[in-house]
Amino acid sequence: MAKKLFIKTHGCQMNVYDSARMADVLAPLGYARTETPDDADMVIINTCHIREKAAEKVFSELGHWRIRKHAAQARGGDVTIAVAGCVAQAEGKELVNRAPFVDLVVGSQAYHQLPELLARAERARVKGTGGRGILATDFPPDSKFDHLPDEISVAPGPVGYLAVQEGCDKFCTFCVVPYTRGAEYSRPAAAILREADRLVATGVQEIALLGQNVNAWHGEGPDGKSWSLGRLLRVLNDRFAKTHPHLRWRYTTSHPREMDDELIAAHADVAGLMPFLHLPIQAGSDSVLKAMNRGHRAEDYLRVVEKLRVARPDIALSGDFITGFPGESDADFEQTLKIVREARFAAGYSFKYSNRPGTPGSLMGRQVPDAVSSERLHALQALLQDLSGDFNRACEGRELDVLFQKPGRQSGQLIGYSQYMQAIYVADPMLKIGDRLPVTITGGYANSLAGEIVRREAA
Ligand code: 5AD
Ligand code: SF4
């Protein structure tokens, strides 16, 4: 009988990808993915470490799983508990020590080893030598991508994620990613093309290319030369243009320093590339950007935006922002508000600076009081809401290309995403998840849009 695997995914889209790949790795062992925790023979908690209290949240979630495991053991069964992802990578030792009921702790570069780790855990359990969980958090010398199975065990639904790049060498002084995900690595183009073929065969209509620094991708092309992401997008688009003309593409997350001309040009003439870009800037003051080790100034960012708008005038720009980085003054913060207005962001994610042990930022003097960071955060969020409201209102009356992906809050309502990555709510009895239709926008608000289906042919 198939064993049931429940995966709880926290954090970013890369974790969503990793969760899918962990299910693929375990499928040959007879594990079928379930969405119901109560059924699980095995659980993987795929964790995120980007902001504070990450480990505490994992421990409290593990408490529930410990109870489930003990109940299963009392019935003569078991629930295998694994912790994966960035908390596993960064705090693995503490996890196995503080939560000895956890069977496996597996880091972000080691999850292709899950079958042998499970076998080791099982041997230890049978021999009675178990006690602490097995810890696998080394960065192996060869890439996990070379060892992941070809088969996709569960069709991803309307949107497929494809990791093309992983890791980060930028070392922004606030960020744990270079330590949890390791050095930048670009997968070769041939492996990416093969994985795209498999995703397209499952029926996906949108593919998001993923990487912590996705636009730093410079993989080896089939011609033996180093390709850029712009070239890769062009080749991917052309590969499916005849057979799947409606396939759409995006990529995330990008770094402003890596927006080269070939990639910007792709926004002008790669037909399937969505007019959307998530391009974090983090702050608007040059002295804060310098202290953050971002490697660009505000003006460099604006120049990239200008070029993008020439290439694709309707592009929707989204960003990440941090308030209260050490040393940020009121005048510095004003510069963040200024650049947000100048770049006319259509969407944005803003965070209060969170002091992460082990990062250079944690050792900087002049930490900003929490109340000040909060106040700045609220001001920034209000401005971002105004701007996204403006962007969304400007879409009223237009017909957008919407891919429906999940149920809405009200019954009969579905949520889809436009080519600009706006959330669109439509109530229509004929509508189902996976539909891709032109939607006429009837209302544009700060966080969503309302629309109706006027025509039923594909967008
Ligand atoms: N504090 C606050 N926000 C952070 N981010 C990354 N590290 C931190 C931190 N220490 C934010 C950045 C990044 C996003 C994924 O999370 O804005 O772009
Ligand atoms: Fe973190 Fe900076 Fe790397 Fe992005 S570019 S993952 S913020 S270190």
Side-chain angles (χ1 to χ4, degrees):
M1 213 175 66
K3 288 171 277 187
K4 298 276 174 51
L5 170 65
F6 178 78
I7 308 184
K8 177 72 194 171
T9 307
H10 298 278
C12 63
Q13 292 172 349
M14 185 66 98
N15 269 11
V16 176
Y17 174 84
D18 288 338
S19 290
R21 299 317 319 265
M22 287 191 273
D24 297 341
V25 170
L26 292 171
L29 275 66
Y31 283 96
R33 203 161 168 182
T34 173
E35 297 304 319
T36 329
D38 290 342
D39 292 351
D41 299 292
M42 175 169 181
V43 58
I44 301 176
I45 304 176
N46 195 4
T47 58
C48 172
H49 199 240
I50 199 93
R51 277 171 287 275
E52 262 164 311
K53 302 206 180 89
E56 289 318 308
K57 283 185 205 147
V58 175
F59 282 114
S60 94
E61 198 173 341
L62 280 171
H64 299 288
W65 284 100
R66 181 166 85 160
I67 295 166
R68 279 207 174 93
K69 185 179 180 81
H70 288 166
Q73 286 172 334
R75 293 191 302 268
D78 202 358
V79 177
T80 305
I81 302 178
V83 181
C86 293
V87 175
Q89 188 64 52
E91 305 198 32
K93 275 211 187 82
E94 196 190 342
L95 271 163
V96 291
N97 288 333
R98 265 183 65 186
F101 55 92
V102 169
D103 298 278
L104 297 175
V105 174
V106 57
S108 46
Q109 304 309 330
Y111 63 74
H112 58 291
Q113 299 165 357
L114 272 169
E116 59 198 75
L117 298 172
L118 265 179
R120 262 172 60 197
E122 178 59 18
R123 279 199 299 276
R125 199 175 61 81
V126 170
K127 281 203 210 142
T129 54
R132 289 242 167 84
I134 288 171
L135 181 64
T137 51
D138 288 345
F139 288 124
D142 48 347
S143 161
K144 69 173 175 243
F145 291 108
D146 296 337
H147 301 278
L148 290 172
D150 283 349
E151 288 73 29
I152 294 174
S153 57
V154 184
V159 178
Y161 294 111
L162 204 177
V164 302
Q165 183 278 341
E166 199 176 358
C168 182
D169 297 341
K170 304 285 189 297
F171 290 93
C172 300
T173 50
F174 52 82
C175 185
V176 291
V177 167
Y179 314 99
T180 58
R181 288 279 172 174
E184 283 181 18
Y185 169 75
S186 295
R187 293 177 73 190
I192 295 166
L193 299 182
R194 280 199 302 275
E195 195 164 321
D197 288 345
R198 294 194 288 271
L199 278 174
V200 171
T202 70
V204 297
Q205 304 192 56
E206 176 182 310
I207 295 185
L209 304 185
L210 301 182
Q212 274 86 31
N213 259 274
V214 70
N215 60 343
W217 181 84
H218 52 272
E220 188 194 348
D223 54 5
K225 297 202 176 109
S226 173
W227 285 13
S228 74
L229 188 69
R231 172 116 187 238
L232 180 69
L233 281 163
R234 206 172 287 276
V235 168
L236 282 166
N237 186 75
D238 290 352
R239 187 177 184 88
F240 302 103
K242 281 218 176 67
T243 52
H244 299 80
H246 295 302
L247 203 54
R248 63 184 197 184
W249 301 88
R250 61 187 166 92
Y251 57 95
T252 198
T253 288
S254 294
H255 193 288
R257 251 163 61 193
E258 308 277 1
M259 285 309 298
D260 64 23
D261 288 344
E262 203 172 7
L263 184 54
I264 291 173
H267 280 279
D269 51 25
V270 172
L273 183 56
M274 292 161 68
F276 167 80
L277 181 64
H278 183 62
L279 189 64
I281 178 168
Q282 315 295 358
S285 138
D286 285 341
S287 65
V288 173
L289 287 170
K290 188 154 195 266
M292 287 177 164
N293 191 33
R294 291 288 294 172
H296 63 83
R297 296 160 305 171
E299 137 192 4
D300 303 320
Y301 186 90
L302 287 173
R303 201 168 312 129
V304 169
V305 172
E306 217 174 277
K307 285 195 202 168
L308 281 162
R309 291 231 157 91
V310 170
R312 183 76 206 224
D314 64 335
I315 197 161
L317 192 66
S318 131
D320 286 340
F321 309 91
I322 294 176
T323 66
F325 185 78
E328 185 187 68
S329 66
D330 284 339
D332 289 323
F333 176 63
E334 281 303 319
Q335 295 298 309
T336 299
L337 296 176
K338 182 163 172 266
I339 201 157
V340 167
R341 280 190 213 100
E342 282 174 6
R344 283 181 285 123
F345 284 95
Y349 303 89
S350 39
F351 312 98
K352 237 181 348 179
Y353 171 68
S354 163
N355 186 313
R356 310 303 287 121
T359 61
S362 68
L363 304 174
M364 288 180 185
R366 299 170 62 210
Q367 300 272 333
V368 174
D370 190 64
V372 175
S373 302
S374 295
E375 201 180 305
R376 290 178 187 163
L377 184 73
H378 291 139
L380 177 57
Q381 282 174 343
L383 174 60
L384 286 165
Q385 291 267 302
D386 278 355
L387 289 173
S388 59
D390 289 348
F391 186 86
N392 293 343
R393 250 188 318 281
C395 293
E396 286 175 0
R398 276 186 66 188
E399 201 173 71
L400 301 184
D401 162 24
V402 179
L403 177 56
F404 287 93
Q405 295 174 31
K406 54 187 184 193
R409 256 171 263 135
Q410 288 156 25
S411 80
Q413 191 185 50
L414 287 189
I415 304 176
Y417 289 85
S418 72
Q419 66 268 46
Y420 304 115
M421 288 300 287
Q422 302 146 296
I424 318 264
Y425 288 69
V426 178
D428 185 312
M430 306 276 282
L431 209 53
K432 45 188 198 321
I433 288 173
D435 281 350
R436 171 90 177 275
L437 289 164
V439 172
T440 304
I441 301 304
T442 52
Y445 318 101
N447 298 313
S448 65
L449 300 92
E452 55 192 36
I453 314 260
V454 179
R455 298 187 291 123
R456 287 209 169 264
E457 62 269 39

